[in-house]
């Protein structure tokens, strides 16, 4: 009986490993994704990162460029014109990829005079997430040979969070090349933290209350711009106007004043434009209904007024 059970276990494990290997082969990947209900995991996150990286490596005639998170993407994505280029996407890529985007864009477009970083203030405390960061940030770093941009402390945090073996570039590529492998691994990570709640200290270590990740890579971006003689502007996205959010921002503003980021825009928190709670579909993003018709234009004009920046982004009829 024990032999039969062992045989079944070994056979099951063998089939699973076989599927994992075959799923990394392009000819088999779509079929296995469908059979294992892994379609939504295939390319999840990494394709958005790859799209933006390809975009920054293209020459442009624009002399100004906007980088930013998903809220900035809501506002600026379709505002490109002869003066402005727009490179915005999910913040799960982290500021590590924002640094790469700025670096490669300036290398390809030496005519650039102004770089705009448009972020929600959460970016200062944002670090790594157990799910999204692996797809949006780590897999692309591994697949596109960019792991060397990681500082030692970030590497150690990623080892703690995902496991040393799984942040190895070859292993990360093996996982990222398959929807099935990505699904299995991310679900395993999720279950690990559910089954071992005592290990939540690992996740807590990756939180960024002292702006460490933000300071590291925003200051790298600042140095890049100074080397290229490019003006750098860091602008806040609009925020939800609730008492809780106002209180949270006051606390963050105090930490910001005591950080090295304050020099990049001393008035960052004073420039935040607030909108009623009903304009938002979650804590950060505007509802599609509010952005319809002239909603985006109204918001951008308010941002221009508050910051004195982004002139020429909206072309008047």
């Amino acid at each position: 009986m024990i032999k039969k059970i062992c045989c079944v276990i070994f056979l099951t494990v063998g089939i699973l490993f076989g599927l994992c290997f075959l799923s990394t082969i392009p000819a088999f990947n779509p079929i296995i994704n469908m059979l294992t209900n892994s379609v939504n995991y295939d390319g999840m996150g990494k394709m958005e990162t790859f799209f933006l990286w390809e975009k920054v490596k293209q020459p442009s005639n624009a002399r100004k460029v906007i980088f930013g998170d998903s809220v900035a993407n809501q506002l600026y994505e379709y505002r490109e014109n002869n003066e402005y280029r727009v490179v915005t996407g999910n913040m799960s890529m982290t500021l590590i990829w924002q640094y790469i985007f700025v670096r490669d864009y300036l290398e390809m477009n030496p005519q650039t005079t102004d770089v705009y970083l448009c972020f929600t203030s959460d970016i200062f405390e944002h670090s790594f997430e157990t799910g999204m960061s692996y797809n949006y940030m780590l897999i692309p770093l591994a697949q596109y040979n960019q792991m060397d941009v990681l500082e030692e402390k970030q590497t150690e945090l990623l080892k703690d969070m995902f496991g040393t073996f799984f942040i190895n570039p070859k292993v990360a590529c093996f996982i990222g090349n398959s929807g099935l492998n990505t699904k299995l691994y991310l679900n395993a990570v999720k279950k690990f933290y559910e089954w071992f709640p005592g290990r939540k200290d690992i996740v807590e270590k990756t939180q960024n209350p002292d702006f460490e990740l933000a300071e590291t890579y925003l200051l790298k971006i600042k140095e890049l711009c100074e080397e290229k003689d490019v003006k750098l502007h860091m602008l806040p996205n609009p925020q939800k106007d609730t008492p809780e959010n106002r209180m949270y921002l006051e606390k963050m503003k105090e930490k910001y004043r005591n950080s090295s980021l304050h020099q990049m825009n001393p008035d960052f928190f004073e420039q935040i434009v607030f909108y009623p709670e009903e304009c938002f579909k979650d804590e950060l993003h505007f509802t599609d209904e509010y952005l319809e018709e002239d909603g985006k234009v109204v918001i951008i004009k308010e941002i221009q007024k508050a910051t004195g920046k982004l002139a020429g982004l909206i072309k008047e009829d």
Side-chain angles (χ1 to χ4, degrees):
M1 183 66 178
I2 295 178
K3 286 185 178 180
K4 288 183 178 180
I5 293 174
C6 290
C7 286
V8 170
I9 291 173
F10 281 118
L11 182 61
T12 302
V13 171
I15 292 172
L16 183 59
F17 272 106
L19 282 173
C20 289
F21 175 76
L22 287 175
S23 67
T24 64
I25 300 173
F28 295 101
N29 187 37
I31 300 171
I32 294 175
N33 284 339
M34 285 190 292
L35 292 174
T36 58
N37 196 26
S38 306
V39 175
N40 291 338
Y41 289 85
D42 191 27
M44 181 178 70
K46 72 170 186 176
M47 294 309 299
E48 185 177 341
T49 305
F50 177 71
F51 169 78
L52 292 181
W53 196 37
E54 285 298 300
K55 185 173 183 176
V56 301
K57 292 188 288 185
Q58 296 170 5
S60 169
N61 293 324
R63 299 177 68 82
K64 301 176 181 179
V65 57
I66 296 173
F67 296 93
D69 57 17
S70 54
V71 177
N73 191 60
Q74 279 191 305
L75 300 176
Y76 306 119
E77 183 182 14
Y78 299 111
R79 289 289 156 190
E80 286 192 338
N81 55 41
N82 292 334
E83 192 174 352
Y84 285 89
R85 187 80 160 150
V86 177
V87 184
T88 51
N90 196 301
M91 206 53 239
S92 293
M93 299 174 196
T94 76
L95 283 167
I96 293 170
W97 268 102
Q98 294 294 333
Y99 163 72
I100 295 171
F101 293 154
V102 175
R103 180 196 69 189
D104 291 355
Y105 184 88
L106 293 181
E107 189 67 32
M108 181 57 67
N109 295 281
Q111 82 287 354
T112 304
T113 59
D114 294 79
V115 166
Y116 295 86
L117 302 178
C118 299
F119 298 117
T120 304
S121 56
D122 291 32
I123 188 64
F124 300 130
E125 292 187 330
H126 190 274
S127 185
F128 304 132
E129 304 163 321
T130 52
M132 304 284 272
S133 293
Y134 198 82
N135 293 321
Y136 279 90
M137 189 264 301
L138 187 61
I139 288 175
L141 287 177
Q143 290 185 327
Y144 310 132
N145 299 314
Q146 298 294 314
M147 294 288 282
D148 59 337
V149 303
L150 291 172
E151 298 285 332
E152 183 177 356
K153 181 156 189 179
Q154 278 80 57
T155 302
E156 293 303 314
L157 287 174
L158 290 169
K159 286 179 180 179
D160 286 345
M161 177 172 273
F162 297 112
T164 302
F165 178 76
F166 293 102
I167 72 163
N168 179 286
K170 291 182 179 179
V171 176
C173 287
F174 180 80
I175 292 172
N177 286 334
S178 156
L180 173 61
N181 293 347
T182 302
K183 178 181 179 179
L184 289 172
Y185 175 67
L186 291 182
N187 278 286
V189 171
K190 180 181 178 181
K191 291 297 181 183
F192 174 82
Y193 288 108
E194 288 177 359
W195 292 341
F196 301 99
R199 298 311 310 272
K200 285 186 178 178
D201 63 308
I202 296 175
V203 179
E204 289 170 1
K205 280 199 299 183
T206 67
Q207 301 309 303
N208 198 30
D210 298 323
F211 301 175
E212 185 169 358
L213 184 71
E215 284 187 308
T216 299
Y217 289 94
L218 285 173
L219 292 178
K220 280 178 176 286
I221 291 173
K222 180 175 179 287
E223 290 173 6
L224 267 178
C225 290
E226 288 174 348
E227 289 172 9
K228 302 285 186 181
D229 197 24
V230 172
K231 296 176 184 176
L232 178 63
H233 316 274
M234 189 168 70
L235 310 182
N237 289 330
Q239 295 252 357
K240 184 188 294 187
D241 193 3
T242 64
E244 296 81 9
N245 199 34
R246 292 267 188 176
M247 189 180 302
Y248 167 71
L249 290 172
E250 279 298 316
K251 292 179 181 179
M252 187 181 286
K253 181 166 69 173
E254 192 60 35
K255 289 193 287 185
Y256 180 77
R257 284 179 183 152
N258 296 321
S259 76
S260 57
L261 298 177
H262 185 257
Q263 61 181 299
M264 296 179 66
N265 181 357
D267 300 318
F268 184 91
F269 283 87
E270 285 73 21
Q271 294 172 347
I272 296 174
V273 180
F274 290 92
Y275 285 87
E277 188 172 7
E278 57 267 23
C279 299
F280 294 81
K281 61 183 178 182
D282 55 31
E283 290 304 310
L284 302 175
H285 301 89
F286 287 99
T287 64
D288 295 336
E289 292 77 16
Y290 187 74
L291 294 178
E292 286 178 356
E293 298 181 1
D294 295 330
K296 291 183 183 181
V297 173
V298 172
I299 295 170
I300 292 172
K301 286 183 176 180
E302 286 291 327
I303 294 171
Q304 289 173 324
K305 182 180 178 180
T307 64
K309 307 290 185 181
L310 299 174
L313 182 60
I314 296 177
K315 300 297 184 182
E316 301 291 350
D317 294 332

